[in-house]
Amino acid sequence: MTDEQGLRERKKQRTRQALSDTAIELFLRRGFEKVSVADVAAAVEVSKPTLFRYFPAKEDLALHRIADHQGEAARVVSDRVSGQAPLAALRAHFHARLDAHDPITGLNDDARVRAFNDMLYTTPSLLARLVRYSDRDEELLAGALVEAGDGDGLTARLAAAQIITVHRRLAEENWRKLAEGRAIADALPEAHADADRAYDLLGAGLGAEYDR
Amino acid sequence: MTDEQGLRERKKQRTRQALSDTAIELFLRRGFEKVSVADVAAAVEVSKPTLFRYFPAKEDLALHRIADHQGEAARVVSDRVSGQAPLAALRAHFHARLDAHDPITGLNDDARVRAFNDMLYTTPSLLARLVRYSDRDEELLAGALVEAGDGDGLTARLAAAQIITVHRRLAEENWRKLAEGRAIADALPEAHADADRAYDLLGAGLGAEYDR
DNA sequence: GAATCTTTTGTTACTCGGTTGCATTTTCCG
DNA sequence: CGGAAAATGCAACCGAGTAACAAAAGATTC
């Protein structure tokens, strides 16, 4: 029943976890750029090449938690109840994540989460890496949309691109609200409204505003 | 009448040009990652710190031409004839750039341009830098849309994000067509159709496909 | 449980992008 | 011409990431 995978595998997972945890700990305390990978490696008592065998780049030490959300949008579309439109499922899901104060929505006032988001949105190299994760997400979502039936490949890819982009923008928008010092109780209703606005635009187009 | 700015300024501009030109030359010949900045500096007979005084990062040596297009979308919106909708102006502009085989559309079969695009779309760090240029573009476009009157700030930012994203996707789509070996005469009509499809989606929304 | 095979690790040394401090040269300007 | 200001070169440095090879540790077989 337990997923016993042998001592070796267990150790590897523990090392991986320790590296990521320690790294984030240090990053939050001293800032991403003020911590060298050598520092992280030393703190975990591991050599530098070993660290890079676990994480391909310094940025991934900070982002691999986010990587766990990989393909979430695609999953929402694939797993939606039959009869529901993809966009409706995504909209509902986003609202739910908002209510759950999911960090990926940018709207979470836990001190550590906020510090993490601040770091994320103010460190160019982290943002760049985040975009690359988003690209993969977009690809997966496009696949799920094609699977969903309507539209050709191009339409699906365009739609996926727009959707993922809007998610990123909404998260950034929410983070900005908090960064401006607003309380989460104050910002949450607005965040819901923003999300609805965004999904209205996605669904009905920019036409009403910019095409006539 | 001439923009005589003194010997100093002229020399600086020439050095800058020489650096960019030589760098692109070398990048196209041997590949971006196989050329070190030291190589470029040596070829131009300039020291490494001097090179970095002209270009903040290696990627900018390759991309600063593209940077000249900075704010193009915003300009199209600002300069549109009165009475024309922003989205209509952007659509028309994109079609025009397509017909002009503008490299930024991805649809250009000149050997050097193709080589450059191949490099651009297959080198992660270049793509990452391109995204950062796009961010600036997006910001400017959002400003222009606010200026254009309709819609609040959030709507403008969302719209700008979607538009810039779609442009990137279309360019990538076009590049892919050529990369698959298709002739430009063959791909051009399809590119126009793709652009119309994309702008239809932007204007009328994903609704018809994914929201009901 | 020893012998062996395989995977993981550490060490050392390296490449490359980018920066710093300082002395030197070059342009500008009175 | 002479000196202030700007641009350059030099040398040394930092940090991310990699290569080579030897050492260690887990897995496997008898």
Side-chain angles (χ1 to χ4, degrees):
Chain A
M1 194 138 308
T2 67
D3 31 345
E4 289 285 349
Q5 293 148 331
L7 173 56
R8 192 177 261 165
E9 207 57 33
R10 256 179 298 145
K11 266 198 166 179
K12 267 169 60 174
Q13 267 173 289
R14 244 182 311 168
T15 303
R16 188 179 170 78
Q17 197 62 41
L19 280 170
S20 171
D21 289 349
T22 312
I24 291 177
E25 183 68 29
L26 293 176
F27 291 160
L28 290 183
R29 185 155 48 203
R30 313 211 310 258
F32 182 75
E33 307 181 304
K34 295 274 187 67
V35 178
S36 74
V37 295
D39 292 339
V40 177
V44 184
E45 293 185 299
V46 145
S47 74
K48 203 170 53 150
T50 294
L51 183 152
F52 281 109
R53 280 176 200 122
Y54 282 90
F55 295 90
K58 184 186 181 187
E59 287 75 24
D60 298 303
L61 282 166
L63 292 180
H64 105 283
R65 281 177 183 176
I66 287 182
D68 293 348
H69 288 264
Q70 195 74 261
E72 183 162 315
R75 234 172 295 118
V76 168
V77 169
S78 302
D79 299 355
R80 92 208 110 106
V81 301
S82 88
Q84 191 181 31
L87 217 49
L90 287 164
R91 183 198 292 246
H93 179 75
F94 195 88
H95 281 300
R97 298 328 298 152
L98 228 35
D99 282 327
H101 298 167
D102 190 322
I104 56 165
T105 63
L107 206 75
N108 184 309
D109 59 354
D110 175 83
R112 289 180 60 83
V113 172
R114 281 207 44 183
F116 184 86
N117 278 348
D118 287 348
M119 172 175 85
L120 177 55
Y121 288 114
T122 58
T123 308
S125 69
L126 285 176
L127 222 37
R129 202 74 172 188
L130 185 65
V131 170
R132 288 186 53 183
Y133 282 116
S134 295
D135 284 348
R136 176 83 184 121
D137 240 27
E138 185 182 315
E139 212 177 303
L140 292 170
L141 176 57
L145 287 178
V146 167
E147 205 65 31
D150 338 68
D152 54 313
L154 173 69
T155 303
R157 286 196 293 279
L158 288 167
Q162 289 182 227
I163 292 164
I164 297 296
T165 296
V166 161
H167 283 181
R168 269 226 324 279
R169 262 269 96 74
L170 283 175
E172 231 170 295
E173 213 67 44
N174 289 333
W175 166 74
R176 255 193 31 200
K177 291 189 211 296
L178 297 191
E180 282 166 4
R182 318 221 353 226
I184 194 164
D186 176 38
L188 183 61
E190 204 175 296
H192 278 295
D194 287 357
D196 274 326
R197 182 100 197 83
Y199 269 96
D200 287 346
L201 284 176
L202 277 175
L206 311 174
E209 317 280 345
Y210 299 114
D211 208 10
R212 66 184 62 120
Chain B
M1 195 134 306
T2 67
D3 30 348
E4 287 285 347
Q5 292 146 335
L7 173 57
R8 187 117 104 201
E9 208 56 33
R10 254 179 298 144
K11 263 198 166 179
K12 267 169 61 175
Q13 266 174 286
R14 242 181 308 158
T15 302
R16 191 180 167 77
Q17 198 62 42
L19 279 170
S20 172
D21 288 350
T22 312
I24 291 178
E25 183 67 30
L26 292 176
F27 292 160
L28 290 183
R29 186 155 48 203
R30 313 211 310 257
F32 182 76
E33 307 182 303
K34 297 275 188 65
V35 177
S36 75
V37 294
D39 292 339
V40 177
V44 183
E45 294 185 296
V46 146
S47 73
K48 204 170 49 151
T50 295
L51 183 153
F52 281 108
R53 281 177 200 121
Y54 282 92
F55 295 92
K58 184 187 180 186
E59 287 74 25
D60 298 304
L61 282 167
L63 292 181
H64 106 281
R65 283 176 182 177
I66 287 182
D68 293 347
H69 288 264
Q70 195 75 260
E72 182 162 317
R75 234 171 296 120
V76 168
V77 170
S78 302
D79 298 354
R80 92 208 109 108
V81 301
S82 89
Q84 189 180 33
L87 218 49
L90 287 164
R91 184 198 290 247
H93 180 75
F94 195 88
H95 281 299
R97 299 328 297 151
L98 227 35
D99 281 327
H101 299 166
D102 192 323
I104 56 166
T105 64
L107 205 74
N108 184 309
D109 59 354
D110 174 83
R112 288 181 62 86
V113 173
R114 281 208 45 185
F116 184 86
N117 278 349
D118 287 348
M119 173 176 84
L120 177 55
Y121 289 115
T122 58
T123 308
S125 69
L126 285 177
L127 223 37
R129 202 75 173 188
L130 185 64
V131 169
R132 289 186 53 187
Y133 283 117
S134 296
D135 284 348
R136 177 80 185 122
D137 240 28
E138 184 181 318
E139 212 177 301
L140 293 170
L141 177 57
L145 286 178
V146 167
E147 206 66 29
D150 337 69
D152 55 312
L154 173 70
T155 303
R157 285 196 293 280
L158 289 167
Q162 289 182 229
I163 291 164
I164 297 296
T165 296
V166 161
H167 282 180
R168 267 228 323 282
R169 262 269 96 73
L170 284 174
E172 228 169 300
E173 213 68 45
N174 289 333
W175 166 73
R176 255 193 30 202
K177 291 188 212 294
L178 297 192
E180 282 166 4
R182 315 215 1 219
I184 196 165
D186 176 39
L188 183 60
E190 204 175 296
H192 278 294
D194 286 357
D196 274 325
R197 182 101 198 83
Y199 269 95
D200 287 346
L201 284 176
L202 277 175
L206 311 175
E209 317 281 344
Y210 299 113
D211 208 11
R212 64 184 66 117

